[in-house]
Amino acid sequence: MIRAPRRLDPNRVVEHLPALYRAARAWTRSREEAEDLVQETSARVLARPRFLRGEDELGYLLRALRNTLVSQRRAESRRPQTAPLLEELAPGGRAGDDPAEEVERRRVYAAIRELPEEFRDTLVAVDVVGLSYGEAARVLGVPEGTVTSRLFRARDRVAARLEGPSPGVQ
């Protein structure tokens, strides 16, 4: 016998929060991440009426929780990973660095910061982070050929900028 769809009662969702939190805690890396996941799932589920077809509320909510987690992880994997620059780790350069090399390093980073966003992201992904062209294409969400052309243009612009006179040099 097929049961008619019934509406998920928003007031009963609160009763399932402890179970959702326990599941989220098992699937995530921290307590804070689990709390955020349960909150995001609840917000999504309660944003519009939901209808259950022959399933219990907790099963539906657990599936929604898992789908939210998968969506978050997928989005997270597409974002470029950041790492602090050397100059951020050790202000004034590392011990033993040649001051001229430090000035040149700062010029290179300044030239990179001046690039248009799509060129800057590509250059950072490949030349700074060390991703392959294929990995950069996946991270940036563009074809590999686009990575190749953007990287060529980005390198060309940085080189042109660095060939100009150094700041403070007459």
Side-chain angles (χ1 to χ4, degrees):
M1 178 175 157
I2 299 176
R3 294 187 343 193
R6 63 182 174 85
R7 186 172 179 187
L8 174 68
D9 182 3
N11 296 323
R12 290 194 29 105
V13 171
V14 175
E15 295 173 19
H16 299 296
L17 289 179
L20 292 175
Y21 174 76
R22 286 192 304 274
R25 188 64 185 100
W27 286 333
T28 59
R29 297 171 279 236
S30 69
R31 179 180 55 82
E32 294 81 11
E33 189 179 354
E35 290 169 354
D36 291 346
L37 177 61
V38 171
Q39 182 176 359
E40 176 68 21
T41 302
S42 299
R44 286 182 181 189
V45 166
L46 298 174
R48 61 186 175 87
R50 304 294 174 144
F51 294 93
L52 306 176
R53 291 176 176 78
E55 59 190 325
D56 66 313
E57 292 170 346
L58 184 57
Y60 176 84
L61 293 170
L62 284 172
R63 195 169 64 255
L65 184 75
R66 183 71 175 155
N67 290 342
T68 302
L69 176 65
V70 168
S71 295
Q72 287 177 348
R73 295 270 166 89
R74 191 175 296 132
E76 189 179 287
S77 72
R78 288 190 297 258
R79 284 188 216 113
Q81 300 298 313
T82 59
L85 298 174
L86 291 176
E87 60 195 33
E88 292 174 354
L89 293 174
R94 298 176 305 228
D97 274 354
D98 179 10
E101 288 179 12
E102 180 62 25
V103 168
E104 190 62 23
R105 184 176 11 261
R106 289 178 188 265
R107 284 186 68 220
V108 170
Y109 283 128
I112 292 170
R113 279 191 299 272
E114 293 174 5
L115 291 171
E117 184 177 350
E118 65 272 6
F119 293 164
R120 182 179 58 240
D121 291 348
T122 305
L123 185 82
V124 168
V126 175
D127 289 346
V128 177
V129 177
L131 299 179
S132 69
Y133 285 25
E135 291 168 330
R138 282 190 300 281
V139 167
L140 298 171
V142 298
E144 195 170 328
T146 302
V147 169
T148 303
S149 65
R150 285 181 183 174
L151 189 58
F152 173 80
R153 290 184 179 106
R155 287 172 176 164
D156 192 48
R157 288 183 183 196
V158 168
R161 174 79 173 137
L162 294 176
E163 287 174 0
S166 297
V169 177
Q170 304 284 322

